[in-house]
Amino acid sequence: MRRAGITPDLLVHAAAELADEDGLDKVTVSALARRFGVKDASLYSHIRNLRDLRVRLALLASSEMNDAIGAAVAGRSGKDALVAFADAYRAYALAHPGRYAATQQRIEPAEVADTAVFLRAVELTYGMLRGYGLTEPDLTDAGRLLRATFHGYVHIELSGGFQHTRPVAESWARSLDALHTTLENWGNPS
């Protein structure tokens, strides 16, 4: 029997808060049960298992991140769109480190077959890259470059790896300048 007031959506939002506060690895069914003051078993009427909870958390976080990126790039193209996209990506990751970590876990297509969240992320990326005149297979290659660059930068920043006195934001801006130059010249390798 479901406990009054607890819903799958409420559990996922609580997991998101816990992930941001303590890290994705601290998101467990037991930790959530403690937050709600219930026994672990009572949560299994709302979620299948921990994996189900973490996939739902990834979907929530990806949707939030898509919304932030979509709003940021609306009406922009070229370098303006790239910077808006990248800044929204970074801002989300820094503000929500646990949720962001959830978006980086491996998810099998069958686990998310009934949702378009990840397709929207690809569409946002490809839409921005088409402003550079890219088509396949260059869209995929450039999209992978951006994801690897943004994720790597954010991952190092979140772990405190940038200890040099130069402001991190200035290095970020220079990185985006370099990416813009790369994308402008994608079809003309030297």
Side-chain angles (χ1 to χ4, degrees):
M1 182 167 164
R2 293 176 183 237
R3 179 158 173 107
I6 297 177
T7 65
D9 190 53
L10 188 61
L11 282 176
V12 172
H13 280 84
E17 290 173 11
L18 179 61
D20 286 341
E21 292 166 9
D22 298 334
L24 181 62
D25 61 321
K26 301 294 188 215
V27 175
T28 64
V29 174
S30 295
L32 282 174
R34 283 191 298 276
R35 279 194 173 216
F36 286 101
V38 299
K39 296 193 182 297
D40 295 12
S42 66
L43 299 185
Y44 289 109
S45 61
H46 305 285
I47 56 170
R48 286 187 302 275
N49 51 37
L50 179 59
R51 177 66 185 169
D52 178 44
L53 176 66
R54 289 191 176 177
V55 168
R56 291 178 191 220
L57 174 53
L59 291 170
L60 170 69
S62 294
S63 180
E64 291 173 345
M65 197 169 183
N66 286 343
D67 289 347
I69 291 169
V73 300
R76 298 173 188 262
S77 65
K79 185 177 181 183
D80 288 340
L82 172 65
V83 171
F85 186 109
D87 285 349
Y89 183 107
R90 180 173 171 246
Y92 183 85
L94 296 178
H96 303 288
R99 294 175 203 216
Y100 175 73
T103 69
Q104 300 305 307
Q105 62 187 328
R106 181 177 171 85
I107 297 178
E108 297 300 327
E111 294 177 294
V112 293
D114 61 343
T115 181
V117 171
F118 296 115
L119 178 59
R120 181 161 182 243
V122 171
E123 289 170 349
L124 285 167
T125 303
Y126 281 19
M128 185 267 298
L129 289 171
R130 282 190 192 98
Y132 286 97
L134 301 181
T135 58
E136 284 298 355
D138 294 332
L139 284 170
T140 296
D141 296 340
R144 287 175 176 168
L145 170 66
L146 294 182
R147 181 176 181 206
T149 302
F150 298 165
H151 173 68
Y153 198 98
V154 165
H155 179 74
I156 294 168
E157 187 173 5
L158 283 169
S159 65
F162 292 131
Q163 296 300 313
H164 192 275
T165 58
R166 178 165 171 77
V168 174
E170 290 179 22
S171 297
W172 175 253
R174 290 299 307 266
S175 297
L176 298 181
D177 288 343
L179 286 171
H180 170 67
T181 299
T182 298
L183 293 170
E184 277 191 314
N185 296 291
W186 193 271
N188 306 314
S190 320

